[in-house]
Amino acid sequence: TFNGTWKVDRNDNYEKFMEQMGVNLVKRKLAAHDNLQITVQQTGDSFHVKETSAFRTLEIDFTSGVTFEYSLADGTEVKGSWTLEGETLKGSFTRKDNGKVLTTTRTVQGDELTQSYNYEGVDAKRFYKRS
Ligand code: MYR
C-alpha cells in the first residue's frame, strides 16, 4: 500500500505545527512550499524511503519497531521508530535537543497518503498524491 512515489499536495495546520516546533518564520514559509516527494519501497517490515524536497535529497532505511536516527529538514535531530500497526505506520521520535516527542502517522487511502503530525499539543496533516 505505501509503495510508490508520493508528492505533497496540501497541508493542514502545518505552519502552526512548525511554529510549535520552533521553526522560524522564514523557514516556515519556505517549508510550507517545499515540494516534498517521498518514494517508498516496502519489503515486509522493512522500508526504504527516498526523500526529495526544495531543501535536500536523502535516502533512509528503517524496520518496523527498530529505533533509528534522523535529521529533520531544519536540522533538528531526532531518534525514534516507525511501527506498522495494521495498515497504519505509527511513528514516535524524540528530539535530541530537548527530549520532547513528536508523533506522526502515515496511512494510504486509494491514491492519497496522509501523514499526521503532533508536537506538544499541536496537530497537523500533509496530504500526498500518487505520482
Ligand atoms: C521517513 O520515514 O520519511 C523518515 C523518518 C521521519 C521521521 C519524523 C518525521 C517528522 C517530520 C516533521 C517535520 C517537521 C519540520 C519542523
Side-chain angles (χ1 to χ4, degrees), residues 14 17-19 21-23 31 36 38 40 47 49-51 56 58 60 62 68-74 76 78 80-82 89 91-93 95 102-104 106 115-117 126:
Y14 191 54
F17 167 79
M18 289 189 284
E19 188 176 357
M21 287 285 289
V23 178
L36 181 60
I38 56 173
V40 182
F47 294 80
V49 177
K50 181 174 180 184
E51 171 186 327
R56 60 182 184 171
L58 64 91
I60 62 149
F62 61 85
F68 63 100
E69 302 194 351
Y70 180 77
S71 294
L72 307 185
D74 71 340
T76 303
V78 298
S81 63
W82 286 109
L89 268 171
S92 179
F93 295 88
R95 285 174 68 144
L102 183 168
T103 57
T104 175
R106 284 182 176 140
Q115 183 160 5
S116 72
Y117 304 85
R126 304 194 86 184

Side-chain angles (χ1 to χ4, degrees), residues 14-15 18-19 22-34 54-55 73-74:
Y14 191 54
E15 290 205 43
M18 289 189 284
E19 188 176 357
V23 178
N24 74 42
L25 178 67
V26 172
K27 286 186 186 171
R28 292 202 301 273
K29 293 293 171 198
L30 293 171
H33 304 281
D34 60 358
F55 301 116
D74 71 340

Side-chain angles (χ1 to χ4, degrees), residues 34-87:
D34 60 358
N35 288 317
L36 181 60
Q37 183 175 298
I38 56 173
T39 298
V40 182
Q41 281 173 265
Q42 181 185 356
T43 312
D45 265 4
S46 293
F47 294 80
H48 180 77
V49 177
K50 181 174 180 184
E51 171 186 327
T52 307
S53 73
F55 301 116
R56 60 182 184 171
T57 295
L58 64 91
E59 300 192 36
I60 62 149
D61 290 284
F62 61 85
T63 299
S64 176
V66 179
T67 298
F68 63 100
E69 302 194 351
Y70 180 77
S71 294
L72 307 185
D74 71 340
T76 303
E77 294 185 358
V78 298
K79 189 174 174 176
S81 63
W82 286 109
T83 302
L84 194 55
E85 290 185 24
E87 305 271 279

